[in-house]
Amino acid sequence: MRLETFTAVGPDGFTRRGVLTHASSGHPKAALVLLPAGTQPRPGPGRLYFDLAERLANDGITTLRIDALGIGESDGTLDVLPTFELWQRIESGAFVPDAILAMRALAAQLGRHVPIYAGGLCGGGLTALVAAADAPDEVAGVIALNIAVRSTPRPGQAAPAVASEARSQIGGYARKLLSPSAWPRALAGGIHLRAIVHTAAAALRRSNRGGVLNPTFEAGFDRAIASGVRQLHVFGGTDARWHQFHDLVLRPKWCGAVDGAHHRVRIVPEAEHHFMSPAWRQQVAVWIVEWIDDQVRAGAAVELAGLGTSSTRNMADGVERMSSGSETL
Amino acid sequence: MKRADDMTYEAGFIRNRRGHALFYAEHAPANASPSIPRCLICAPLLEEHNAARGVLVNLARALAASGVRVMRFDYTGHGDSEGHTSTIGLGEWCDDVEDVAWWWQSRTRKLAAASPMRVIGCRAGALLAAMAARTVGADRLTAWCPVIDGRTYLRDLLRLTLLVAPPAAKAERTTRDALEGRLALGESVNVFGWEIGPSFYRSVVTASFARLVEQAPCPVEIFDTGATGRLPPELTALERHAGVTVHSVAGSTFWIEGARTDLQQEALVGATVEAVAADAA
């Protein structure tokens, strides 16, 4: 594995620092910029990002893991704040300028012929999506893992579960209530019946009254779609963010389709938020490689059709032009 | 935010004795003189390594700003370094401390003989710092919130693992005893994304910070943020040894992501910078 330190100096004069894991072949077919998961430094929670980068390198993909300003090795330090406030700042796009800076610096290093994807876990996925929406010419697509579509609430003000999340929880509650040991505990106050009742009500609701999208996510998502930005979304099936994405994005905006012209959604059924198990991480890496390969092939197909672009981002435009070209002929 | 024009930062990779690339970062005052003191920082292990990283970077910057040359690095299987944790334990990570220290000393050969080196270890890094102190020629050993008893530390790791386990794993009703049993039988256990195996288990379960302090070749200074609200008696008891001092300092359990994020840990960093400056004076 070839590792290399990476720096990008912003217009503010401060340095953002990262590490490149180069494609083993030496000639990357694509590159991926992994953006901070919350306030985590660049190896990622449980070294998720390092593990993914190592696996992707074997399949010809160079990965840049970057620390945003104030995190890890980069200049500056975070303000001393309640953690939820820092997360809210990230969910409002605080790291987007650093993401775009990193993508541009990486493109300058690798050359414009290498398609660059932006990605990350949770808030990192959101940063990637908004950065792609802001700079669609800089990115070939977005790879989001358990993307955060709702804002982090203040402690003690948790938003109600969306319907599908509530339905997944009801099964667990039902099993507990059927257990002989459950009722003495319930009577002694050891089980929160009120919470169970609320969850049941949410599960039965047809509409997601409690489900409000983070405005930064929604605006970024809509702009990314309008710009033709390709998206791969991977979720852990037990993560609340999968249910939130399913109810608030996949169903209303993509009609429930996990495969579309501009998107692909995949779920690792037993995985949680951080994809802790090596097997889950391997599955995530396989799907990333497959999707990037599909994008690269589609971009090559457009080029062969003589439409003059190798950018996979322009695939949709290329298909439309091909159609109009054949009609003209 | 102030730009650190008066400090230098250099980062890269070196090979350890097993051929793994280890990430290092050196912080130093600009135009540093050969006789300035040096500090080698040994970070915590596993997920604590991630959470504490920002605090240790701030410590290194504060020390460099006060005129100290500082070396930080990532152990095998941690941070930006190659390797995986499933087959190694404290012995291999102690080797990493030695490899980095010797490499650092050899590249600053004309400085090495002149300037003292303090080794600063945080949490389980304090165990590693104490294990390596003699072979790396430490003049001082500083421990930040040290792991006192290896088995207690291991049990705490396993408890956290069970707390964050996905529903399917929770349904199995695994216990800490069962996880520890698997480790004792030579199996691996996943702790928040980190695979730990029998090498880790065997080396950690018998680790004792007190025993290491008793054998320390140099004075030992312990700073504890009193995560339990007061200094652990096992730490205050260490003051009976000559050359050991224990300080209670305001701070938080910064090695775990919590409700409040404080990467500055002003009191703890300040006390350490003062201690290093006092030595140099």
Side-chain angles (χ1 to χ4, degrees):
Chain A
M1 185 164 52
R2 188 162 78 87
L3 301 170
E4 181 188 356
T5 57
F6 175 95
T7 59
V9 180
D12 51 16
F14 295 107
T15 303
R16 286 74 170 165
R17 299 184 175 91
V19 169
L20 282 165
T21 306
H22 286 281
S24 303
S25 62
H27 303 285
K29 60 186 170 190
L32 171 62
V33 180
L34 285 173
L35 298 159
T39 57
Q40 292 269 342
R42 65 198 182 206
R47 245 180 41 138
L48 171 65
Y49 285 5
F50 183 97
D51 283 352
L52 284 178
E54 189 176 30
R55 295 170 199 275
L56 295 176
N58 294 331
D59 281 292
I61 297 168
T62 288
T63 304
L64 169 63
R65 298 177 289 104
I66 191 83
D67 285 323
L69 207 62
I71 286 178
E73 303 295 319
S74 291
D75 283 353
T77 190
L78 296 177
D79 292 334
V80 179
L81 281 173
T83 302
F84 84 91
E85 279 192 38
L86 290 170
W87 289 347
Q88 285 180 344
R89 286 185 180 185
I90 295 165
E91 291 156 4
S92 299
F95 289 163
V96 170
D98 283 356
I100 295 173
L101 176 75
M103 292 190 301
R104 286 178 177 154
L106 184 60
Q109 178 167 336
L110 297 181
R112 286 277 169 191
H113 62 286
V114 178
I116 293 178
Y117 295 81
L121 174 78
C122 196
L126 172 62
T127 299
L129 182 67
V130 177
D134 284 355
D137 290 338
E138 314 284 350
V139 66
V142 170
I143 297 169
L145 312 179
N146 288 328
I147 191 169
V149 304
R150 295 206 300 199
S151 299
T152 301
R154 297 182 70 88
Q157 294 180 5
V162 295
S164 66
E165 182 182 2
R167 282 193 292 273
S168 76
Q169 289 172 351
I170 280 296
Y173 286 138
R175 277 189 293 277
K176 282 184 187 172
L177 288 173
L178 290 172
S179 156
S181 63
W183 286 103
R185 280 194 295 135
L187 292 169
I191 293 178
H192 301 288
L193 289 176
R194 195 171 168 187
I196 296 174
V197 168
H198 279 161
T199 302
L204 292 170
R205 242 183 254 132
R206 293 179 67 130
S207 64
N208 275 298
R209 247 181 276 153
V212 178
L213 285 171
N214 168 9
T216 302
F217 166 84
E218 187 162 30
F221 182 86
D222 290 344
R223 283 186 294 118
I225 295 290
S227 300
V229 172
R230 306 302 161 131
Q231 300 178 41
L232 169 67
H233 290 272
V234 181
F235 292 92
T238 68
D239 189 12
R241 282 151 197 81
W242 158 235
H243 295 288
Q244 291 157 15
F245 183 87
H246 176 273
D247 285 18
L248 302 177
V249 180
L250 187 67
R251 277 178 58 189
K253 293 185 182 280
W254 281 338
C255 304
V258 295
D259 287 292
H262 295 156
H263 74 270
R264 183 177 299 174
V265 180
R266 293 290 181 266
I267 301 101
V268 183
E270 299 299 323
E272 38 56 68
H273 187 58
H274 298 111
F275 299 101
M276 287 192 289
S277 137
W280 300 337
R281 292 178 180 191
Q282 178 61 18
Q283 181 63 77
V284 171
V286 165
W287 281 334
I288 290 174
V289 172
E290 279 177 2
W291 186 71
I292 286 179
D293 281 346
D294 289 344
Q295 305 310 305
V296 170
R297 266 194 296 272
V302 168
E303 204 171 337
L304 282 173
L307 293 175
T309 176
S310 61
S311 167
T312 58
R313 188 190 69 77
N314 293 328
M315 190 185 85
D317 291 342
V319 171
E320 288 163 8
R321 270 188 267 142
M322 191 193 294
S323 299
S324 63
S326 64
E327 285 166 7
T328 302
L329 286 172
Chain B
M1 180 170 30
K2 202 171 68 147
R3 199 179 14 255
D5 290 332
D6 50 349
M7 286 187 279
T8 63
Y9 172 94
E10 179 196 307
F13 293 89
I14 62 165
R15 294 270 167 202
N16 71 359
R17 67 188 70 180
R18 294 177 178 82
H20 287 130
L22 301 185
F23 173 81
Y24 77 88
E26 187 188 56
H27 307 249
N31 307 312
S33 93
S35 60
I36 63 170
R38 295 174 297 139
C39 282
L40 173 67
I41 295 179
C42 298
L45 294 173
L46 307 182
E47 194 62 12
E48 291 184 9
H49 186 283
N50 252 353
R53 189 181 199 99
V55 176
L56 297 179
V57 168
N58 281 326
L59 170 65
R61 288 173 180 164
L63 286 167
S66 73
V68 178
R69 190 184 302 271
V70 184
M71 172 61 65
R72 296 171 36 245
F73 69 99
D74 292 335
Y75 311 108
T76 304
H78 287 73
D80 296 316
S81 294
E82 283 182 331
H84 298 276
T85 54
S86 56
T87 57
I88 57 180
L90 294 183
E92 287 81 4
W93 288 317
C94 183
D95 291 343
D96 285 346
V97 178
E98 291 176 355
D99 290 348
V100 171
W102 294 335
W103 172 82
W104 193 32
Q105 286 161 357
S106 70
R107 87 195 286 246
T108 55
R109 192 165 288 122
K110 67 174 183 177
L111 309 175
S115 64
M117 183 173 74
R118 176 185 290 248
V119 183
I120 302 175
C122 177
R123 294 285 296 154
L127 295 174
L128 297 172
M131 288 166 67
R134 189 177 304 279
T135 51
V136 304
D139 298 282
R140 281 274 193 277
L141 178 60
T142 296
W144 268 19
C145 311
V147 164
I148 300 169
D149 173 68
R151 185 151 191 271
T152 304
Y153 166 67
L154 176 72
R155 301 277 295 181
D156 284 344
L157 284 177
L158 299 178
R159 180 176 61 83
L160 280 174
T161 297
L162 295 173
L163 276 175
V164 302
K170 282 184 173 161
E172 291 174 10
R173 298 189 176 274
T174 307
T175 63
R176 279 190 289 180
D177 287 342
L179 290 177
E180 195 175 341
R182 283 170 50 187
L183 287 166
L185 288 174
E187 294 177 32
S188 291
V189 167
N190 189 289
V191 176
F192 201 75
W194 304 80
E195 292 285 312
I196 59 171
S199 288
F200 180 92
Y201 173 71
R202 283 193 296 266
S203 62
V204 165
V205 79
T206 55
S208 161
F209 184 66
R211 200 163 54 235
L212 291 166
V213 165
E214 285 168 19
Q215 299 160 5
C218 56
V220 180
E221 209 156 14
I222 301 167
F223 294 95
D224 195 271
T225 57
T228 57
R230 60 184 180 90
L231 276 177
E234 301 93 330
L235 282 186
T236 52
L238 292 175
E239 282 190 305
R240 71 177 188 273
H241 297 290
V244 179
T245 54
V246 183
H247 310 273
S248 177
V249 180
S252 62
T253 53
F254 57 87
W255 54 90
I256 301 171
E257 190 173 59
R260 189 168 184 80
T261 297
D262 178 3
L263 302 183
Q264 296 172 32
Q265 296 295 316
E266 215 172 292
L268 183 56
V269 169
T272 305
V273 171
E274 270 180 39
V276 174
D279 259 0

